Amino acid sequence: MEYQLFLDTNALLNLGVNAFKEHFVIAQKTLQELEAIKGSASKDGEVKFKARSVARLLKDHYGDYTVILYSPEIKKIIEDHFLEETPDNIILASAYYYSNNHSTIFCTDDLNCMILARDVFGLYTKGINEINLVKDMDEYKGFQDVTLSEEEMAFFYSHVNENLYDSLVNEYLIIRNSNGDVVDYRRWDGSKYDALSYKQINSKYLGKIKPVNPHQVLTFDLLQNPDITIKVLSGRAGSGKDYLMIANALRLIDSGKYDRLIYVRNPIGVKDASEIGFLPGEMDDKLMPFAAPLADHLGGREGLSLKIMEGVIEIEHLGFIRGRDIKNAIIYCTEAENLTREHVQLLISRVGDGCSIWLNGDFRQTDSSLFRMNNGLLSAVQRLAGQEKFGYVQLQKTERSETAALADLLD
């Protein structure tokens, strides 16, 4: 379901340039209010600055949003709800009018508007802190890449018990010398910058697997760390998210650290691709096409089927995960950019004794506006970063092939 975001005036002002990451809808009254704020003698300088900035953005991005013009139909909606013809009520009535033909999220930080939207007009309503207008994730990468002189290097190693880089718990350091060469990796564990400890993998299906770039080194350490039970990878297609996670997960299962891998996927179709209709067969048959990333790393569908029969892998639909108490397993969810915050919360709440949850996705590849406005993967990183049980690495380089790397030129 594609949701349209309807912004009231204060939401548009507070979001500013971030509002333009997603198509949105506003009432004509909001345009009038912006003009009034710009010339108002009673508004403070900050609000007037926001109004001028938003007005300029609206002009620059004309065509990227929809304006609902005030009309007799909207006036009648106000009258039918026994309300006065105030600016707020005109905006609410405009949102109600628009929602008759579109799935709409009304966004406001005004408490009175929020109550009227929910209780009088029955609108699906969120504040601006409850939505994630996501295109990418640049604020926190799970690591810092630092270049140190010899003097700075000596100082660092004599002060590894001090948080010199204001690192969050489980945030990594990639340490380079003055020539730009990587000379070390460290992880802040809350009390010191600890050296990394990980092993390469010899896989029956994939052969010898080892990190091929600095971010993959961090990933190996993250995935093999038993103390971190919520592990998240993000990155563009071909950066190795599934490859590294599946290889490390199967190694941990083979070594007895976990009993099985529970593969969970929200079976969302690719954006703008035609649906193929209802798939035949039992649950595993219906979900098998969505488990292709597993099959690709297990020698094909036959290899995946064998692991399912052995009880090593279990495929589960996101909708049937509620109520389960999962122990001694890896809950593995790929394409997690197509999860809401509530979905991720549900998955984490299923983690029982001896269990961990592994999530990966590409913030740029959400397949519905619902996930661009309420992105679970982004919420997990933003809200859990710094928790001792949480770890995250953003993979930044495509390693699949030189051809696959050319996809980035189409951004």
Side-chain angles (χ1 to χ4, degrees), residues 21-281:
K21 291 182 177 180
E22 183 74 30
H23 183 275
F24 62 87
V25 186
I26 54 175
Q28 182 185 8
K29 177 56 68 174
T30 287
L31 297 178
Q32 295 170 354
E33 287 194 311
L34 289 174
E35 290 301 317
I37 291 171
K38 285 163 56 178
S40 174
S42 62
K43 299 292 185 180
D44 65 38
E46 182 180 358
V47 175
K48 293 169 74 171
F49 174 77
K50 286 182 178 180
R52 289 194 298 270
S53 298
V54 167
R56 184 168 57 253
L57 287 165
L58 288 168
K59 184 179 294 185
D60 293 342
H61 291 269
Y62 182 78
D64 294 338
Y65 55 92
T66 298
V67 178
I68 304 302
L69 301 178
Y70 192 51
S71 65
E73 291 85 357
I74 294 172
K75 181 179 177 66
K76 187 173 188 306
I77 290 170
I78 296 173
E79 293 171 351
D80 289 346
H81 286 80
F82 305 103
L83 297 171
E84 296 180 14
E85 200 171 341
T86 64
D88 283 351
N89 291 338
I90 291 172
I91 292 172
L92 286 165
S94 299
Y96 179 80
Y97 173 77
Y98 186 77
S99 71
N100 287 330
N101 295 305
H102 302 84
S103 298
T104 305
I105 298 175
F106 183 73
C107 184
T108 181
D109 277 340
D110 184 289
L111 180 59
N112 184 60
C113 270
M114 187 172 289
I115 292 172
L116 287 173
R118 291 174 177 173
D119 297 345
V120 176
F121 290 97
L123 295 171
Y124 180 31
T125 307
K126 286 182 175 289
I128 65 169
N129 291 325
E130 297 177 287
I131 60 173
N132 291 311
L133 293 171
V134 101
K135 289 293 183 186
D136 54 14
M137 175 68 181
D138 294 324
E139 291 81 4
Y140 179 70
K141 299 178 176 65
F143 64 87
Q144 297 181 55
D145 196 321
V146 298
T147 299
L148 305 180
S149 65
E150 291 185 8
E151 183 180 353
E152 291 169 329
M153 199 88 68
F155 184 83
F156 171 79
Y157 285 110
S158 62
H159 294 80
V160 292
N161 294 326
E162 298 178 24
N163 192 357
L164 299 176
Y165 295 95
D166 295 324
S167 301
L168 299 179
V169 173
N170 294 326
E171 184 176 6
Y172 289 95
L173 284 185
I174 300 172
I175 302 174
R176 301 178 187 268
N177 62 21
S178 55
N179 295 323
D181 300 321
V182 177
V183 295
D184 199 5
Y185 302 91
R186 295 280 168 149
R187 178 181 60 85
W188 178 252
D189 66 6
S191 60
K192 66 181 181 302
Y193 284 104
D194 201 13
L196 305 197
S197 176
Y198 67 89
K199 296 180 180 178
Q200 298 182 11
I201 297 171
N202 288 312
S203 167
K204 173 183 176 182
Y205 300 97
L206 303 172
K208 183 173 290 187
I209 302 170
K210 61 181 180 179
V212 296
N213 63 50
H215 309 123
Q216 289 195 5
V217 170
L218 310 182
T219 297
F220 264 68
D221 183 79
L222 168 65
L223 298 178
Q224 294 180 19
N225 188 325
D227 297 323
I228 300 175
T229 53
I230 302 175
K231 308 173 193 282
V232 176
L233 296 182
S234 73
R236 59 195 66 207
S239 57
K241 302 184 298 295
D242 280 310
Y243 179 73
L244 299 178
M245 276 192 159
I246 292 169
N248 277 278
L250 292 177
R251 175 186 174 276
L252 291 170
I253 292 170
D254 289 342
S255 63
K257 300 293 193 302
Y258 297 95
D259 295 338
R260 68 198 191 283
L261 182 148
I262 300 176
Y263 181 86
V264 183
R265 173 99 177 252
N266 191 14
I268 300 295
V270 175
K271 183 181 179 183
D272 298 329
S274 300
E275 297 292 338
I276 60 174
F278 293 103
L279 296 171

Side-chain angles (χ1 to χ4, degrees), residues 300-339:
R301 185 166 292 194
E302 293 78 10
L304 175 57
S305 297
L306 179 61
K307 289 294 183 183
I308 292 173
M309 287 189 292
E310 292 174 350
V312 173
I313 290 177
E314 177 183 335
I315 302 176
E316 184 64 279
H317 188 288
L318 176 65
F320 296 98
I321 202 75
R322 179 178 282 114
R324 296 194 59 180
D325 180 13
I326 300 171
K327 295 181 173 63
N328 304 317
I330 295 172
I331 302 173
Y332 180 89
C333 184
T334 189
E335 304 292 345
E337 72 274 4
N338 287 326
L339 299 178

